[in-house]
Amino acid sequence: MNLTLKIWRQKDSKAKGQMVDYKVTDISEHMSFLEMMDVLNEGLVAKGEEPVAFDHDCREGICGMCSLQINGEPHGPDRGITTCQLHMRMFKDGDTIVIEPWRAAAFPVIKDLIVDRTAFERIQQAGGYISVNTSGNTQDANAIPISKEAADKAMDAATCIGCGACVAACKNASAMLFTSAKVSQFALLPQGRVEATDRVMNMVKQMDLEGFGNCTNTGACEVECPKGISLENIARMNREYLAASVAKS
Amino acid sequence: MAILDSKVPKGPIKDKWTTYKDKINLVNPANKRHIDVIVVGTGLAGGSAAATLAELGYNVKAFAYQDSPRRAHSIAAQGGINAAKNYMGDGDSNYRLFYDTVKGGDYRSREANVYRLAEVSANIIDQCVAQGVPFARDYGGLLDNRSFGGVLVSRTFYAKGQTGQQLLLGAYSAMNRQIARGKIDMYNRHEMLDVVKVDGKARGIIARNLVTGEIERHSAHAVVIATGGYGNVYFLSTNAMGSNATAAWKIHKKGAFFANPCFTQIHPTCIPRTGDYQSKLTLMSESLRNDGRIWVPAKLEDAKALQEGRLKPTQIAEEDRDYYLERRYPAFGNLVPRDVASRAAKERCDAGYGVNATGEAVYLDFAAAIERYGKEQAKIHNISNPSKQKIYDLGKAIVEAKYGNLFQMYEKIVDENPYETPMMIYPATHYTMGGVWVDYNLMTTVPGLYCIGEANFSDHGANRLGASALMQGLADGYFVLPYTIGDYLSHEIRTGKIPTDSPEFDEAEKAVKDRIEFFITNKGSHSVDYYHKKLGKIMWEKCGMSRNEKGLKEAIAEIKALREEFWKEVKVPGGSDELNPELEKAGRVADFLELGELFAMDALNRNESCGGHFREESVELDGEQKGEAKRNDAEYAYVAAWEYKGEPSDSVLHKEQLEFKDIELKQRSYK
C-alpha cells in the first residue's frame, strides 16, 4: 500500500517543531508499524536526509520504550498493544497517518518523536520499592502464603511497562494510572504493607511536583494502556492515600 | 597456562563457595564510602549488581543506553527462573540443578561456577519475593512451578509470561531505592564507548551522552560490564534493536579475552520471518512446550499443499502428522533442550516438510492440551457427559490463563488465532553462551574489570537451558560479584579518587572522538543497516544452526571483505553533537563486523559438535544415536579464550582445560 505520513519534526528540545509530510510506497500489510518507519528512514538516509528519530527497543511490546501518538491515539488504533506491535494491516492503501510524540508538559520533546520521561523515574525513586537489602538470609519465599487472588491482582498492576501512554491519552496529562499501578502492586502484598503509608504519600507528592495533572475519571488511560492496567488501581491509590493522610495527621 | 588461571578454590565442590567466602578479604563500611564502581548495563545482572554494591556502601555509577534502567532487554524474558527449591517434592536438589545445567551445556562449562549458581538459586527466589515480585501462586497461597526443557523436575518459578519483566522491575526498584539515597548515580541514555586502563588496571570508561553527543570521562576503582549478549551479530534475532556487543568488544580489544564466541543459542520457538523488511524476530516462550506438541505433516504432498496454501493444518488427520520430537526423543519429547529442538526443526524443514510459504516453519499445537485440560476441568466441576464444545471452552480457559499474553502476541503479529489453528514456529538466534572470559571471581583477564550475566561466558557451556539466564544474571549480580569484587577492592582502600585528567583518559577519549568524526565525515554510499543485514545473512547461512569447514572459511573471508567495504562506504547522516541513532548504530555494527569474524574462526577451530555448535563433520555415524551431534572430549574439552592482537585473524587462542570431577563426561542422551 501507499501512504502519506504527517510527522512531527523537531531538531532538539529548544527548537520549534513542525509537521512534515512524507510518502511511503509498497508497504506490506505484514510489516509492523515501526518497520514501516524503518523503510521511511532507509529512504531518507539514501537521499542524505536526517532520518526521523523515534524511541524503540525490544519491538515485542514489553520494554516500554516506543511511544508514538498515531492518528491522535497513543500506540495507534489497535487495543492492548504498543506501537511496535501495531501492524500495517490496521491501515489501508491511500491512508494519511499523523505521527506525533507524547504531548505532556512533564514529557518535554528531546528530538522529533522522542520525549523525556525521566519524571517517571523520579516518581519510582520516591517510593516504588520495598526496603529490603540483598542478603542470603531473607526468609523462605514460602514463609508468608499470599492468596492467589491478591498475587494475581498484584501481578496485573505490576505489568505496567512505564511507556507513558496513560499520560499522553489523558486530557489532564495525569500520571495517576502509572503511579497507582506501583502503589497497588505493593499495597496488595504483605511485603509491601510495611511501608505502604509513606510510599503512597511520597509517590503522589512527587507525581504532583513533576507537573502531571489530576485524575477526573474519564478512563482514557485505561482504554489506551497497552497492558490493560485497570482504573481500579487509581481507586485503590486514592483509598491508600486517604488512609495514609489520616494516619499521618 | 598461568595466564588463564580460573582461580577455582580447592576442596569438595559442595564447600568451595562457602569456604571461599569465609576467607576472602572484606572492605570495612567506612572505606567503602571512598570506593567507586562503574556498572555498565542495567539488566538483571547489572541492575542487581548496582543495587547490591550500593547497599553495601560503594559509590556506584550505572549506565544504560535506554531512557530508564527498567528497559534493558532482560525485561523481555518470558518463561521463568530456575531454582532448586524442591517445593514440588519431585526430587530436585542443588546437585540436580548443577547436573542438569552441566549436562544441558553439553559439558563445556566450568563445574565450580555452575555448582555455585545452583547453590545460590534458592536465595534468588527468597530475595525476589521479599522485594515484592508477584510470582504465580497456587490456591493455597504458595509459589507455583512449571517445567522447562532438558530437565525432569518442575523448578521454574514464573510470573505469567513476563517473568523477566517482574524480576527486572524488582532489581530496578532496588536500584531506585539506592538512586534516591544518592548511592547510585544513574546515567540513562549513555553508551560506553571504551574502557580506560591505568597501570594495567581498569580505572574508568569513556561514555557518550546519547542526547547531547557529549563525550564524558568516568573513573572508578573497578568496572563491571553487564551489557548482555551479541546475538544481534545475526541482524535478525530475538534481542532488542539496541542490544549490542560494543562494551564487551571494546574491553576485548583492551585485553579481556573473549571465550567461545561460536556458542550461540538458536531458540526453537520463534515466530517465522515473513519478508526482507523484517527488523527482528519474536520469541514464543519455551514454556509453551509444556503443553504444545510440535509436528509437521508426515507426507510430503501435505507439506507442499500447506506451503501453497491449499490445505489447512486442522484438515490433516492425526495419523498423517509427524510429532518428530516425540518420535525421536521419547524420554523428553517436546521438552528436549533448545539446541536439539532447533536442529530437529531444521532437519524436517530442510527435508521439505516445512509448513508455511517459505518452507521454514513447523507447528506448535495446543489442541491436545485444550482437550486434556477441558476433560480435567469437567471432572473437577462435576460435569457429566460434557459436550465437545464444553470441553473446548473449559480447556481453552486454562490455556488462556497460562499463556494468554503469548497467544495474544502471536495473534497480533501473525493475524491467526492460535486457539483455533496451530502456531507456526521456527528457530531464531536468541542468546549467546559465549562471551568475555572470566575467572571464578567473574573478573576478566584485565585486573579490576569484571563481566557478569550474558556478557560473560561462564555458566552455560555450549547450550543454555531454559529459565537459566535469569538465574545466572541475578546470581551474578545479587550474590556472587558483591563478594568477589570486595576481595579485589580491599586492596584499593588507600588508592584515593581516580583522576580523569591522566594521559590514559586523554588517549582513550581521543580514539573515541576520532572514530565518531570518521563516521560523520565519511561520504559513503550505503546505510549502516545495509551492512548489518549483509553481515547477518553471512552469519545465519554459514555460522547458523549447522556449520562446516568450507562455509566457515568462506564466512571469514566474506566478513573481512564486508568490513573493509564498510569502512570505505558507510554513510552516517546527522552530526556528532546531537541525538543521532544512525551514529550509534554505526559504532555497534563496526564492532559486530569484527566479532563476527572471530565467531567464525572459533567455530572453525572447534571441529566437534556440542550444544548450539553443530559441525556437519562431527556426527554419530551409527547406533541408537545415529545422526546426532558428536562431541569430542579428547580434543575439545576446553574453553577457547581468544586474545586480541590487532585484526580478528591475528587473535591468539588460549585454552582453559575443563575438569569434570563431580560429573562423569558422557554423551547427552534425551532419547
Side-chain angles (χ1 to χ4, degrees), chain A residues 11 35 42 45 55 57-60 63 89 111 117 121 133-134 140-142 146 158 160 162 185, chain B residues 55 65-66 68 70-71 85 87 126 132 141 177 189 241-242 279-280 412-413 527 571 578-579:
Chain A
K11 181 123 185 78
E35 283 164 354
E42 196 66 18
V45 174
D55 265 332
D57 201 25
C58 78
R59 294 211 178 182
E60 50 189 271
C63 76
R89 63 180 78 94
K111 182 175 187 173
R117 287 173 287 198
E121 298 299 297
N133 275 2
T134 309
D140 185 84
N142 262 346
I146 301 173
C160 167
Q185 178 197 340
Chain B
E55 286 165 10
Y65 72 77
Q66 295 94 342
S68 163
R70 69 181 292 159
R71 308 206 198 280
K85 279 285 199 184
Y87 281 160
D126 298 342
R177 179 166 161 246
R189 293 198 196 266
M241 301 302 288
S279 59
K280 80 156 269 161
K412 289 292 178 191
I413 294 174
S527 71
K571 173 154 95 178
E578 60 176 334
L579 193 149

Side-chain angles (χ1 to χ4, degrees), chain B residues 378-539:
Chain B
K379 260 220 166 78
I380 291 170
H381 295 104
N382 266 327
I383 303 168
S384 53
N385 294 323
S387 66
K388 256 194 133 100
Q389 185 61 40
K390 186 75 195 168
I391 289 175
Y392 173 83
D393 291 343
L394 290 167
K396 187 187 164 197
I398 297 293
V399 169
E400 192 170 356
K402 285 186 137 177
Y403 312 112
N405 65 320
L406 298 169
F407 277 46
Q408 183 225 20
M409 197 194 274
Y410 181 86
E411 190 172 353
K412 289 292 178 191
I413 294 174
V414 183
D415 204 22
E416 281 183 359
N417 180 348
Y419 296 101
E420 309 283 337
T421 182
M423 281 185 183
M424 284 181 291
I425 54 163
Y426 198 68
T429 304
H430 176 58
Y431 185 89
T432 53
M433 284 74 67
V436 177
W437 186 89
V438 289
D439 63 17
Y440 189 72
N441 297 318
L442 306 181
M443 187 150 90
T444 68
T445 41
V446 176
L449 183 57
Y450 291 79
C451 190
I452 59 176
E454 186 181 352
N456 76 27
F457 88 103
S458 74
D459 297 349
H460 308 294
N463 174 58
R464 179 175 64 74
L465 291 179
S468 285
L470 304 187
M471 173 172 67
Q472 187 220 336
L474 290 181
D476 286 1
Y478 281 140
F479 296 114
V480 180
L481 180 84
Y483 285 98
T484 60
I485 202 171
D487 192 41
Y488 174 82
L489 292 172
S490 67
H491 304 292
E492 296 287 341
I493 54 176
R494 284 180 201 87
T495 307
K497 196 94 187 148
I498 310 288
T500 57
D501 56 0
S502 60
E504 290 86 353
F505 271 93
D506 292 345
E507 196 185 319
E509 184 184 287
K510 183 173 182 311
V512 164
K513 282 186 165 164
D514 287 350
R515 184 154 110 149
I516 290 172
E517 190 58 22
F518 167 82
F519 286 132
I520 293 297
T521 51
N522 194 51
K523 299 281 175 259
S525 50
H526 292 294
S527 71
V528 176
D529 275 0
Y530 169 88
Y531 292 101
H532 198 177
K533 284 181 180 177
K534 281 200 155 187
L535 172 65
K537 195 164 166 4
I538 299 170
M539 294 302 296

Side-chain angles (χ1 to χ4, degrees), chain A residues 66-76 83 100-107 113 115 117 120 162-178 212-213 218-226:
Chain A
C66 64
S67 59
L68 302 181
Q69 187 91 352
I70 300 163
N71 287 344
E73 281 190 82
H75 298 302
T83 293
E100 296 166 273
W102 286 167
R103 299 289 190 193
F107 287 165
L113 301 169
V115 299
R117 287 173 287 198
F120 270 12
C163 62
C166 47
V167 174
C170 179
K171 65 191 173 88
N172 308 324
S174 167
M176 292 277 271
L177 195 66
F178 168 78
F212 291 105
T218 60
C221 54
E222 183 185 59
V223 175
E224 299 294 354
C225 174

Side-chain angles (χ1 to χ4, degrees), chain A residues 69-107:
Chain A
Q69 187 91 352
I70 300 163
N71 287 344
E73 281 190 82
H75 298 302
D78 209 350
R79 289 286 165 264
I81 54 163
T82 56
T83 293
C84 66
Q85 294 173 294
L86 179 65
H87 275 67
M88 295 312 293
R89 63 180 78 94
M90 294 297 293
F91 301 92
K92 42 182 206 307
D93 189 38
D95 274 1
T96 296
I97 307 176
V98 180
I99 308 168
E100 296 166 273
W102 286 167
R103 299 289 190 193
F107 287 165

Side-chain angles (χ1 to χ4, degrees), chain A residues 21-224:
Chain A
D21 287 8
Y22 298 94
K23 299 262 185 225
V24 283
T25 53
D26 289 330
I27 297 298
S28 155
E29 58 166 4
H30 296 300
M31 272 184 198
S32 74
F33 191 85
L34 294 184
E35 283 164 354
M36 182 277 292
M37 295 293 287
D38 292 341
V39 170
L40 167 74
N41 277 344
E42 196 66 18
L44 292 175
V45 174
K47 283 194 281 181
E49 290 176 37
E50 255 203 79
V52 179
F54 59 91
D55 265 332
H56 66 109
D57 201 25
C58 78
R59 294 211 178 182
E60 50 189 271
I62 194 74
C63 76
M65 194 90 176
C66 64
S67 59
L68 302 181
Q69 187 91 352
I70 300 163
N71 287 344
E73 281 190 82
H75 298 302
D78 209 350
R79 289 286 165 264
I81 54 163
T82 56
T83 293
C84 66
Q85 294 173 294
L86 179 65
H87 275 67
M88 295 312 293
R89 63 180 78 94
M90 294 297 293
F91 301 92
K92 42 182 206 307
D93 189 38
D95 274 1
T96 296
I97 307 176
V98 180
I99 308 168
E100 296 166 273
W102 286 167
R103 299 289 190 193
F107 287 165
V109 172
I110 294 174
K111 182 175 187 173
D112 295 341
L113 301 169
I114 297 179
V115 299
D116 181 355
R117 287 173 287 198
T118 42
F120 270 12
E121 298 299 297
R122 291 185 291 270
I123 293 174
Q124 294 294 336
Q125 288 155 19
Y129 49 79
I130 289 170
S131 299
V132 53
N133 275 2
T134 309
S135 80
N137 312 315
T138 39
Q139 62 180 341
D140 185 84
N142 262 346
I144 310 174
I146 301 173
S147 78
K148 184 168 166 48
E149 197 195 344
D152 287 351
K153 273 193 175 166
M155 176 64 200
D156 288 343
T159 56
C160 167
I161 57 174
C163 62
C166 47
V167 174
C170 179
K171 65 191 173 88
N172 308 324
S174 167
M176 292 277 271
L177 195 66
F178 168 78
T179 310
S180 68
K182 192 48 74 179
V183 166
S184 281
Q185 178 197 340
F186 290 145
L188 285 159
L189 299 171
Q191 290 84 359
R193 287 303 330 168
V194 182
E195 299 165 278
T197 307
D198 284 340
R199 177 179 303 113
V200 70
M201 299 293 284
N202 293 338
M203 289 182 80
V204 168
K205 186 176 156 203
Q206 189 64 36
M207 180 182 86
D208 291 341
L209 276 175
E210 296 292 346
F212 291 105
N214 231 314
C215 173
T216 44
N217 280 311
T218 60
C221 54
E222 183 185 59
V223 175
E224 299 294 354

